[in-house]
Amino acid sequence: MTRAMKDQGALSRWRILRRRLAIVIGAIAIAASATLTAAPASASTTWAGVSGFYDTSHWGDQFGGSRNHQGIDIVVPGYSNTPVPALRGGTIVAAGTSSCLGNYVIVKVGTSDFDGYSHLVNTRTSGSVRQGDSIGETARSGQVTGSCWSGSHLHLTNSSTATGFNTGNVRDPAPIIRAVLSGAGSGSGSGSTPVNVSDFSGDGAADVLGVNAAGELYYYPNNGQTLSMPVRLGQGWASFPHVMAADFSGDGAADVLGVNSAGDLYYYPHNGSALSAPVKIGNGWGSFKHVMAADFSGDGAADVLGVDAAGDLYYYPNNGQTLSTPVKIGFGWGSFKHVMAADFSGDGAADVLGVDAAGDLYYYPHNGSGLSTRVKIGNGWGSFKQVIASDFSGDGAADVLGVDAAGDLYYYPHNGSGLSAPVKIGNGWGSFLHVM
């Protein structure tokens, strides 16, 4: 074989090798391009906010189907922990770890309305959340994922109970997501803000509690804007000048707070069906004209507000089931017949309502740190024995209830800007020492 023939053969082999190499490189480039195209964008762009995170293009397995899937999977990038925004506002009522679902968080949105978030890490475990607030982050391989995990995703459920996500008592969350994405409301279900005052059952609608003339404390369940048969919770309350019901613990169900005859302030934790042993959280309250418990800070746990002997209104922040240094938020309240605190605006933080000496009912909006200019929302309240504000309808905004001079209990629905015509929901309340 000549030298020229050898060189020609080598050149041919090199050309063949180069063509094969080009084909391989091209295939790699195509595969890489396909992979990059399919990969979701970073959390700071496509995944930002509620509309970005829950966009239908991110939906994986949906509800039902051949697998009888019990929710909707929001598939996220697997290379990082993606923040999970709350689809709707509410109160965190449960957080823990399931063998199947890994770390989970349950948010109570309203009456019989619970959103479940699973396969998470770095979860929030208590308090209130607003729509868009971070619930936690999606788990990645190597973290606590649960045995039902199949790649980075959020498993979203909706149920009528707080435990439904783990027992199969679930509903398709797709209509809720679509309602939120379409802007057909805030996506708040039956209540965009957590019920805090007087919701002893924890179902999203305020109940009524009362101390009768004998000093017995009773709980009257709200069974659809009427009251069921009362349940006795305790006795010996006749000497208490102030008794309140609000969610001081932040677990979604109202506790009871009371100032005894010595002026000591006690917190009685709700234990599921009754009240546990009291915890002393303050003293020197004996001279206060009005004492209220409601979530003024908007963090999901009730704070305490009070009008002292000088008529000054103070806010005592709840700092973990004790009270921090008070903040003065008003004066001139000494002549008011009734003062209440509840979320009248529906924004997640308690406002203040009061009946003045002339019998006029005023609403003082919470403005972030104090109270804004008052708005008159009624008159003729001077003869009422008891006036309370709580979300009896379960729609996220406080209503007003009152016991008139005849001892009849009326419910005045919040209608968006004021109060609608009253509905009578009871009688025989005239002798009650406290109604809340």
Side-chain angles (χ1 to χ4, degrees), residues 267-347:
Y267 150 55
Y268 294 75
H270 184 293
N271 62 15
S273 58
L275 300 176
S276 295
V279 179
K280 184 176 177 180
I281 57 172
N283 54 40
W285 291 84
S287 61
F288 275 66
K289 295 175 178 287
H290 305 280
V291 183
M292 306 140 270
D295 184 15
F296 193 75
S297 64
D299 66 356
D303 309 291
V304 177
L305 291 85
V307 176
D308 67 11
D312 294 330
L313 175 61
Y314 285 92
Y315 150 54
Y316 293 74
N318 181 341
N319 64 7
Q321 300 179 28
T322 61
L323 299 177
S324 295
T325 303
V327 179
K328 184 176 176 179
I329 57 173
F331 59 90
W333 292 84
S335 62
F336 274 66
K337 295 176 177 290
H338 306 282
V339 183
M340 306 83 72
D343 184 13
F344 192 75
S345 64
D347 65 357

Side-chain angles (χ1 to χ4, degrees), residues 343-346 363 377 390-391 393 395 397-400 411-420:
D343 184 13
F344 192 75
S345 64
Y363 151 55
I377 57 173
S390 62
D391 185 14
S393 64
D395 65 357
D399 311 290
V400 176
Y411 152 54
Y412 293 73
H414 185 293
N415 61 18
S417 58
L419 300 176
S420 296

Side-chain angles (χ1 to χ4, degrees), residues 57-403:
S57 66
H58 300 155
W59 292 12
D61 283 349
Q62 298 186 36
F63 189 84
S66 59
R67 291 182 53 220
N68 191 28
H69 190 234
Q70 300 293 291
I72 282 182
D73 290 346
I74 307 297
V75 182
V76 303
Y79 49 77
S80 64
N81 297 118
T82 302
V84 176
L87 180 65
R88 304 184 292 169
T91 301
I92 296 174
V93 295
T97 304
S98 159
S99 60
C100 171
L101 298 172
N103 297 321
Y104 64 83
V105 175
I106 307 301
V107 175
K108 177 181 161 187
V109 180
T111 306
S112 301
D113 191 2
F114 297 83
D115 290 338
Y117 304 80
S118 303
H119 298 313
L120 302 178
V121 294
N122 303 322
T123 56
R124 289 183 62 171
T125 59
S126 64
S128 65
V129 293
R130 300 175 191 272
Q131 186 180 66
D133 285 355
S134 178
I135 293 291
E137 298 174 338
T138 53
R140 291 184 291 130
S141 179
Q143 297 177 319
V144 176
T145 60
S147 61
C148 300
W149 185 82
S150 58
S152 295
H153 69 280
L154 165 71
H155 180 70
L156 180 71
T157 60
N158 179 260
S159 178
S160 61
T161 68
T163 58
F165 80 104
N166 209 23
T167 62
N169 178 25
V170 291
R171 302 177 290 217
D172 185 0
I176 299 172
I177 300 176
R178 289 194 175 95
V180 172
L181 295 180
S182 69
S186 64
S188 59
S190 56
S192 61
T193 56
V195 174
N196 187 277
V197 177
S198 297
D199 182 16
F200 194 76
S201 63
D203 66 357
D207 307 293
V208 176
L209 289 83
V211 176
N212 66 15
E216 297 171 323
L217 174 61
Y218 282 93
Y219 150 53
Y220 294 75
N222 181 342
N223 66 6
Q225 300 176 27
T226 61
L227 299 177
S228 295
M229 293 297 295
V231 178
R232 181 176 168 183
L233 299 177
Q235 59 185 4
W237 292 85
S239 62
F240 280 62
H242 305 286
V243 184
M244 307 137 274
D247 184 14
F248 192 71
S249 64
D251 66 357
D255 310 290
V256 175
L257 290 83
V259 176
N260 67 12
S261 57
D264 296 328
L265 175 60
Y266 283 92
Y267 150 55
Y268 294 75
H270 184 293
N271 62 15
S273 58
L275 300 176
S276 295
V279 179
K280 184 176 177 180
I281 57 172
N283 54 40
W285 291 84
S287 61
F288 275 66
K289 295 175 178 287
H290 305 280
V291 183
M292 306 140 270
D295 184 15
F296 193 75
S297 64
D299 66 356
D303 309 291
V304 177
L305 291 85
V307 176
D308 67 11
D312 294 330
L313 175 61
Y314 285 92
Y315 150 54
Y316 293 74
N318 181 341
N319 64 7
Q321 300 179 28
T322 61
L323 299 177
S324 295
T325 303
V327 179
K328 184 176 176 179
I329 57 173
F331 59 90
W333 292 84
S335 62
F336 274 66
K337 295 176 177 290
H338 306 282
V339 183
M340 306 83 72
D343 184 13
F344 192 75
S345 64
D347 65 357
D351 309 290
V352 176
L353 292 84
V355 175
D356 68 9
D360 295 328
L361 175 60
Y362 286 93
Y363 151 55
Y364 294 74
H366 185 292
N367 62 17
S369 58
L371 300 176
S372 295
T373 304
R374 68 185 187 176
V375 179
K376 184 175 177 179
I377 57 173
N379 54 38
W381 292 84
S383 62
F384 275 67
K385 296 175 177 288
Q386 310 272 354
V387 183
I388 57 177
S390 62
D391 185 14
F392 193 71
S393 64
D395 65 357
D399 311 290
V400 176
L401 288 81
V403 177

